């Protein structure tokens, strides 16, 4: 009779296969050259220019008779996709109707671009001092990746950074940044995003990168769960629901799957999402026309 393979061996093999798959899936696009035409334009400006251009194209040149709402999901990661250098975040925008009385949302960023008034916010959940102390504790201790009770990383107060601050964090470590969308959503979807922002700003919930022990009681969450599932605060992901490899681009891709399976079913997403085809990258390159780390089929280079 064939001998049973111990559980720990099977778990180890699954982890190994997952790592091999991640490496092989990126190998085919690492040699693609990015667009260097905007290389000297700061990353934040490149990103916001792309968002503005895409939203304006959707609005057209005529009168905008109603408010329009959009989400722009993001991720960043380094070449090894180390969890300590990975992040998932999302910007939400409301473009105001033309020549109509409106009720603005308290506390959001407001602006005007080519006569289009808008308000916006970003959900980018990190330790409150991450901009001055970017030493993220994700897994600490033997066996902590598989067994959450063995993880010695502490809880910490959290903060939702704005888009410019978040992209500066990516620039500081020369990460690859992925952007999806903008995707149009309903007012209900926008309102749910504002509710999530208010929850994070309330101080009632803390930050922890590995939040497996804290989801049920809403004690602490990570960046991925802060933006994932506008209805369900704690969707699972990764091998056996552990969250393994659910960070960086993989993490935000999982968020988009949640949105497709839940939010769009409830009518919040107004257009289809293809998380693979919709990816657009911004990759760090010190010199023009070098061969930097580029996990994207389509990307622009930045250096600051």
């Amino acid at each position: 009779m064939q001998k049973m393979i111990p559980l720990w061996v099977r778990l180890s093999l699954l982890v190994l296969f997952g790592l091999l798959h991640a490496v092989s899936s990126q190998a085919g696009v690492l040699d693609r050259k990015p667009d260097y035409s905007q290389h000297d334009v700061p990353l934040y400006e490149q990103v916001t220019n792309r968002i503005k251009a895409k939203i304006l194209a959707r609005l057209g040149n005529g009168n905008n008779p109603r408010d329009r709402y959009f989400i722009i999901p993001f991720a960043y990661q380094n070449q090894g996709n180390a969890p300590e250098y990975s992040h998932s975040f999302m910007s939400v925008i409301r473009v105001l109707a033309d020549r109509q009385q409106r009720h603005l949302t308290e506390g959001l960023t407001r602006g005007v671009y080519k006569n289009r008034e808008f308000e916006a916010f970003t959900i980018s959940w990190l330790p409150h001092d991450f901009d001055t102390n970017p030493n993220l504790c994700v897994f600490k201790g033997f066996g902590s990746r598989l067994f959450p009770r063995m993880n010695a990383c502490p809880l910490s107060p959290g903060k939702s950074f704005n888009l410019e601050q978040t992209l500066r964090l990516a620039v500081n470590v020369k990460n690859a940044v992925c952007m999806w969308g903008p995707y149009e959503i309903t007012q209900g979807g926008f309102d749910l995003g504002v509710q999530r922002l208010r929850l994070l700003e309330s101080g009632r919930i803390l930050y922890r990168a590995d939040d497996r022990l804290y989801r049920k009681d809403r004690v602490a969450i990570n960046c991925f769960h802060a933006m994932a599932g506008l209805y369900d605060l704690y969707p699972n992901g990764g091998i056996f629901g552990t969250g393994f490899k659910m960070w960086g681009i993989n993490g935000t891709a999982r968020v988009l799957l949640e949105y497709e399976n839940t939010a769009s079913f409830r009518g919040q997403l107004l257009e289809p999402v293809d998380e693979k085809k919709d990816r657009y990258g911004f990759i760090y390159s010190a010199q023009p026309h070098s061969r930097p780390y580029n996990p994207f089929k389509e990307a622009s280079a930045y250096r600051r």
Side-chain angles (χ1 to χ4, degrees):
M1 187 174 181
Q2 190 174 8
K3 200 173 184 179
M4 286 285 291
I5 300 175
L7 177 60
W8 71 270
V9 174
R10 284 182 282 165
L11 290 174
S12 299
L13 289 172
L14 283 169
V15 171
L16 178 60
F17 291 154
L19 289 171
L20 291 174
H21 174 73
V23 171
S24 63
S25 65
Q26 290 189 8
V29 295
L30 289 177
D31 59 348
R32 294 182 184 272
K33 278 203 163 186
D35 176 8
Y36 278 92
S37 63
Q38 301 294 308
H39 188 228
D40 287 326
V41 178
L43 174 61
Y44 176 70
E45 190 174 338
Q46 287 195 47
V47 169
T48 53
N49 284 345
R50 184 173 176 84
I51 293 172
K52 292 171 184 175
K54 284 189 163 290
I55 289 180
L56 284 179
R58 301 284 291 278
L59 297 176
N61 295 322
N63 180 57
N64 180 36
R66 58 186 175 84
D67 290 354
R68 304 278 290 274
Y69 306 90
F70 301 88
I71 57 170
I72 305 96
F74 293 95
Y76 67 59
Q77 66 184 48
N78 64 3
Q79 185 164 359
N81 192 18
E84 296 85 358
Y85 293 90
S86 301
H87 186 42
S88 294
F89 53 107
M90 175 178 68
S91 289
V92 185
I93 297 174
R94 172 194 178 195
V95 181
L96 304 175
D98 295 335
R99 297 185 294 277
Q100 291 189 20
Q101 188 175 5
R102 71 286 306 265
H103 175 71
L104 296 175
T105 310
E106 184 179 356
L108 302 190
T109 298
R110 300 169 187 171
V112 179
Y113 181 71
K114 293 190 175 180
N115 297 320
R116 302 290 191 183
E117 295 183 65
F118 67 88
E119 57 181 18
F121 64 94
T122 295
I123 294 176
S124 176
W125 189 238
L126 287 163
H128 70 104
D129 61 347
F130 192 72
D131 53 343
T132 58
N133 181 31
N135 299 303
L136 188 63
C137 184
V138 182
F139 299 109
K140 183 178 180 181
F142 177 78
S144 59
R145 292 196 178 215
L146 289 177
F147 305 105
R149 294 195 179 277
M150 300 180 73
N151 193 346
C153 288
L155 301 173
S156 66
K159 175 184 173 180
S160 187
F161 288 78
N162 64 34
L163 181 59
E164 185 172 10
Q165 292 168 332
T166 304
L167 292 176
R168 173 52 53 188
L169 296 172
V171 172
N172 288 344
V173 290
K174 305 174 182 178
N175 271 350
V177 178
C178 188
M179 168 183 159
W180 290 262
Y183 300 118
E184 189 161 6
I185 59 172
T186 64
Q187 179 181 349
F190 176 84
D191 292 341
L192 286 168
V194 172
Q195 290 175 25
R196 180 60 53 83
L197 180 67
R198 300 293 189 238
L199 171 63
L200 298 174
E201 292 176 333
S202 70
R204 297 195 304 268
I205 198 162
L206 300 173
Y207 176 89
R208 196 172 192 256
D210 176 14
D211 61 8
R212 288 172 288 174
L213 293 178
Y214 304 97
R215 298 174 190 168
K216 183 178 179 181
D217 296 328
R218 299 195 172 199
V219 174
I221 56 173
N222 57 26
C223 64
F224 159 60
H225 288 126
M227 60 178 280
L230 294 176
Y231 290 91
D232 177 11
L233 190 61
Y234 302 105
N236 287 319
I239 297 174
F240 306 120
T242 64
F244 182 71
K245 299 300 289 183
M246 286 293 105
W247 48 73
I249 294 173
N250 288 339
T252 304
R254 173 65 178 168
V255 172
L256 292 176
L257 291 175
E258 290 290 334
Y259 287 174
E260 285 185 280
N261 295 332
T262 59
S264 61
F265 178 76
R266 294 180 171 99
Q268 305 301 340
L269 274 172
L270 296 178
E271 57 187 296
V273 173
D274 188 325
E275 71 85 8
K276 291 189 180 296
K277 290 184 179 179
D278 296 346
R279 297 179 184 185
Y280 188 86
F282 301 88
I283 58 99
Y284 175 80
S285 178
Q287 300 295 330
H289 308 296
S290 60
R291 302 298 289 248
Y293 166 59
N294 180 14
F296 307 110
K297 293 182 177 179
E298 187 177 6
S300 295
Y302 77 90
R303 65 179 182 87
R304 58 193 176 99

